[in-house]
């Protein structure tokens, strides 16, 4: 069993690992735009009100005011990402310490989280997901504190955890049930031998309802039901005129769109969901996915106590994200799954903090940490070298466009950058649309989008396709075996087009042009 650190070292490990993470992240900025980067920089620079991920713009403005005149807005926002991710590492190690884990358990928790590919990636890029990660770690800490508190204090801590979660990222709606499970009432514990283990008493702590609270619970449920129904019936315009409530309106709109899209297109198949998780979950967590196995192991092998309870409840807390996010299909370099990263790191920390006979935990932990860092650094390097930055790409291709043209692109970053560079053309992220459609419907969706763009009187110019949607397009060369069905459909549509189709631009900046003028 691992010996808990003495009280005199209360903050040593969390602070030290947090500072190590900060130095590491600051040394590895990606210096590239990804997804919403352009949009976020613009909102911070113009002093826009908070948008639906409420915390980001105010925090961005604060960091920009402090560092912007020295570093520039873009670098200041990269620093914000590094600070948020490093803060998440420190908070998670702090939770490990409160669980009674010793030095090895705390170090494994922090270093495996620090080197996770998603943490390393989003700590170096301008995006909301590092703040999301920090919000996940802080709300986890508050929920666990609520589980140890009594009465009104428990509810106050849980409410604060929910507020932190929902203001740092809207996807944390899927995290709220897990926070509830982690904070739910149980028998209080009396200290037992070894620090990590304890025995239960008859007194209860955490969230709970007595008989007097049942009418209040029913009343609250009725009020929330009425409010949700009214919100679902309202359109986005009802909320967009109230900036302070934009996040709530957007949550309802996104939720409604998600439900309606499921009704229209149906569910992703089990195989598609597994493929999505292998890209987004494994891509964000790397070896942290071993935390699921570690949690199962600890659930059945540890004696009753905090660690076993966290292992069991933590696995339950991951279920909403694991079941629902694959049905959205959004590819975000694993960003939405970062919420689960602190919990998975703790599952592994518990494993190393309570070694089993026959296991040499230090050597195993060291190997996992080194492998995790290798995965994270490889992903970081691949992104920097894989393609031109969205801003460079937009500047190069914008010169070929004319007013009234339409462009279908392959990334959200290119969408925002090109739309700013050429506001007189219509830009759409076709790759994102296709990713959110099950494979059986992508060819149909592609045909619909092409027909819509080719017949839109508001944009009568040429239709351009990002070359990355169909790399190496040559009408005289058939597609290779195993190409996705939607790319086969795109190839067929281009071959059958009644107007000329051209390939323009140099390598990495290619566009496929459907001539209409």
């Amino acid at each position: 069993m691992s010996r808990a650190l003495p009280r005199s070292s209360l903050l040593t490990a969390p602070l030290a690992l947090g500072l190590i993470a900060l130095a590491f992240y600051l040394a590895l900025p990606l210096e590239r735009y990804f997804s919403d980067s352009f949009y976020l920089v613009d909102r911070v620079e113009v002093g826009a009100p908070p948008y639906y991920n409420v915390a980001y713009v105010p925090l961005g403005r604060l960091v920009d005011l402090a560092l912007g005149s020295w570093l520039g807005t873009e670098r200041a926002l990269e620093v914000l990402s590094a600070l948020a991710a490093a803060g998440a590492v420190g908070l998670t190690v702090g939770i490990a310490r409160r669980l009674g884990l010793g030095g090895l358990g705390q170090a494994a928790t922090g270093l495996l989280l620090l080197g996770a590919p998603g943490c390393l990636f989003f700590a170096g890029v301008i995006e909301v997901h590092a703040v999301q990660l920090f919000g996940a770690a802080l709300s986890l800490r508050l929920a666990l504190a609520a589980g140890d508190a009594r009465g009104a204090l428990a509810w106050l801590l849980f409410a604060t955890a929910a507020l932190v979660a929902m203001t740092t990222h809207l996807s944390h709606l899927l995290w709220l049930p897990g926070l509830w499970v982690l904070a739910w009432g149980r028998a209080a514990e009396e200290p037992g031998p070894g620090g990590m283990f304890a025995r239960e008493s008859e007194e209860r702590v955490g969230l709970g309802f007595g008989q007097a609270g049942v009418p209040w619970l029913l009343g609250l449920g009725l009020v929330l039901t009425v409010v949700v129904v009214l919100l679902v019936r309202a359109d986005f315009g009802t909320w967009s005129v109230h900036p302070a409530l934009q996040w709530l309106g957007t949550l309802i709109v996104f939720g409604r769109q998600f439900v309606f899209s499921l009704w229209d297109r149906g569910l992703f198949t089990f195989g598609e969901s597994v493929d999505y998780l292998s890209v987004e979950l494994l891509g964000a967590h790397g070896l942290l996915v071993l935390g699921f196995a570690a949690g199962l192991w600890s659930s059945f092998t540890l004696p009753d106590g905090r660690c076993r309870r966290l292992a069991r409840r933590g696995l339950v807390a991951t279920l909403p994200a694991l079941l629902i996010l694959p049905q959205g299909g959004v590819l975000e370099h694993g960003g939405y799954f970062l919420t689960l990263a602190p919990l998975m790191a703790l599952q592994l920390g518990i494993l190393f903090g309570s070694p089993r006979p026959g296991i040499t935990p230090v050597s195993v932990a060291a190997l996992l940490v080194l492998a995790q860092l290798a995965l994270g650094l490889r992903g970081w390097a691949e992104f920097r070298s894989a393609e031109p930055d969205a801003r460079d790409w937009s500047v190069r291709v914008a010169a070929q466009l004319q007013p009234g043209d339409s462009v279908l692109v392959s990334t959200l970053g290119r969408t925002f950058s090109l739309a700013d560079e050429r506001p007189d053309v219509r830009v759409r992220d076709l790759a994102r649309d296709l990713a959110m459609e099950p494979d059986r419907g992508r060819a149909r969706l592609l045909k619909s989008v092409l027909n819509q763009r080719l017949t839109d009187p508001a944009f009568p110019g040429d239709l351009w396709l990002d070359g990355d949607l169909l790399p190496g397009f040559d009408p005289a060369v058939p597609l290779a075996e195993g190409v996705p069905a939607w790319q086969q459909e795109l190839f067929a549509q281009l071959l059958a087009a009644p107007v000329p189709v051209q390939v323009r631009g140099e390598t990495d900046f290619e566009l496929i042009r459907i001539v209409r003028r």
Side-chain angles (χ1 to χ4, degrees):
M1 145 187 346
S2 185
R3 186 173 57 87
L5 291 179
R7 187 173 297 273
S8 60
S9 60
L10 183 66
L11 296 177
T12 301
L15 181 60
L17 284 166
L19 290 175
I20 290 171
L22 179 60
F24 188 64
Y25 294 150
L26 288 175
L28 294 171
L30 278 164
E31 298 176 331
R32 285 174 167 276
Y33 274 15
F34 172 78
S35 196
D36 291 332
S37 296
F38 186 94
Y39 174 77
L40 296 173
V41 171
D42 179 68
R43 291 191 73 91
V44 170
E45 286 182 333
V46 302
Y51 79 124
Y52 52 83
N53 291 318
V54 181
Y56 187 87
V57 171
L59 290 174
R61 287 286 296 163
L62 183 64
V63 175
D64 188 41
L65 288 173
L67 302 176
S69 59
W70 174 38
L71 299 176
T73 300
E74 291 185 12
R75 181 55 180 153
L77 294 181
E78 289 174 347
V79 171
L80 171 60
S81 294
L83 285 168
V89 172
L91 280 169
T92 306
V93 176
I95 296 172
R97 186 200 60 78
R98 289 186 63 86
L99 288 172
L101 302 185
L104 177 60
Q106 295 182 45
T109 298
L111 292 175
L112 287 169
L113 181 60
L114 179 156
C119 295
L120 182 55
F121 179 86
F122 286 106
V125 74
I126 300 169
E127 248 295 348
V128 298
H129 295 297
V131 174
Q132 170 196 339
L133 175 64
F134 178 81
L138 180 55
S139 60
L140 175 60
R141 173 68 184 87
L142 290 166
L144 293 176
D148 289 331
R150 294 172 172 81
L153 178 58
W155 285 101
L156 178 61
L157 287 168
F158 175 75
T160 305
L163 180 64
V164 168
M166 291 305 298
T167 54
T168 48
H169 205 270
L170 274 188
S171 68
H172 280 162
L173 180 66
L174 303 178
W175 182 227
L176 293 184
L179 295 177
W180 178 282
V181 169
L182 291 166
W184 190 246
R186 55 182 172 78
E189 295 168 348
E190 297 176 355
M196 181 187 304
F197 309 114
R199 63 179 186 271
E200 293 185 347
S201 70
E202 296 182 358
E203 186 179 5
R204 294 190 63 81
V205 295
L207 304 184
F209 292 104
Q211 290 184 351
V214 172
W216 290 95
L217 177 62
L218 295 176
L220 178 62
L222 178 62
V223 170
L224 288 176
T225 300
V226 172
V227 169
V228 168
V229 170
L230 292 175
L231 290 175
V232 168
R233 296 180 61 185
D235 59 15
F236 182 70
T238 304
W239 292 95
S240 61
V241 296
H242 303 289
L245 297 176
Q246 188 185 77
W247 68 275
L248 181 57
T250 306
L251 177 64
I252 298 299
V253 170
F254 282 2
R256 183 172 59 182
Q257 289 176 345
F258 176 73
V259 172
F260 288 169
S261 68
L262 288 180
W263 181 266
D264 291 337
R265 61 170 170 77
L267 297 173
F268 284 88
T269 66
F270 177 76
E272 288 175 309
S273 296
V274 171
D275 289 342
Y276 178 85
L277 290 172
S278 68
V279 172
E280 290 291 294
L281 181 61
L282 183 59
H285 285 59
L287 295 180
L288 287 184
V289 295
L290 297 175
F292 292 101
L296 283 172
W297 178 264
S298 298
S299 296
F300 292 102
T301 60
L302 286 181
D304 287 337
R306 286 186 175 187
C307 290
R308 185 182 187 187
R309 184 170 55 253
L310 178 62
R312 288 183 168 182
R313 295 189 179 191
L315 291 175
V316 175
T318 66
L319 291 179
L322 294 176
L323 294 175
I324 294 176
L325 287 178
Q327 294 304 320
V330 179
L331 298 174
E332 189 74 353
H333 212 88
Y336 292 111
F337 285 100
L338 281 186
T339 298
L340 306 183
L343 195 53
M344 293 300 97
L346 286 166
Q347 297 280 28
L348 286 169
I350 290 172
L351 184 68
F352 290 112
S354 52
R356 277 62 174 178
I359 296 178
T360 307
V362 175
S363 58
V364 175
L367 287 173
L368 285 180
V369 168
L370 290 175
Q372 182 80 310
L373 286 171
L375 288 173
L377 291 171
R378 185 181 68 176
W380 177 89
E382 287 178 349
F383 182 78
R384 282 181 62 95
S385 61
E387 59 185 22
D389 182 71
R391 292 163 293 180
D392 297 336
W393 182 89
S394 299
V395 170
R396 296 284 288 275
V397 305
Q400 304 182 53
L401 307 177
Q402 298 182 42
D405 286 351
S406 295
V407 187
L408 301 176
V409 301
S410 62
T411 70
L412 191 59
R414 292 182 177 183
T415 302
F416 284 125
S417 296
L418 185 57
D420 179 76
E421 190 71 27
R422 290 298 302 265
D424 54 351
V425 304
R426 174 175 289 185
V427 187
R428 177 170 176 172
D429 184 357
L430 178 61
R432 194 178 187 91
D433 291 341
L434 292 170
M436 296 170 66
E437 183 78 14
D439 186 61
R440 61 184 177 274
R442 286 173 187 162
R444 182 180 66 251
L445 174 63
L446 175 65
K447 189 180 299 185
S448 173
V449 171
L450 290 176
N451 290 335
Q452 179 187 21
R453 285 296 184 262
L454 288 171
T455 58
D456 187 353
F459 287 81
D462 296 338
L463 175 61
W464 301 77
L465 283 77
D466 183 342
D468 285 349
L469 293 170
L470 196 60
F473 170 70
D474 185 343
V477 180
L479 292 180
E481 294 291 334
V483 172
W486 70 265
Q487 285 189 323
Q488 297 176 22
E489 177 64 27
L490 177 57
F491 185 81
Q493 290 281 325
L494 294 176
L495 289 183
V499 293
V501 177
Q502 304 170 351
V503 178
R504 302 284 296 273
E506 57 191 279
T507 303
D508 292 333
F509 299 93
E510 287 183 349
L511 290 175
I512 301 171
R513 178 189 186 188
I514 302 176
V515 182
R516 298 177 60 203
R517 296 182 186 275

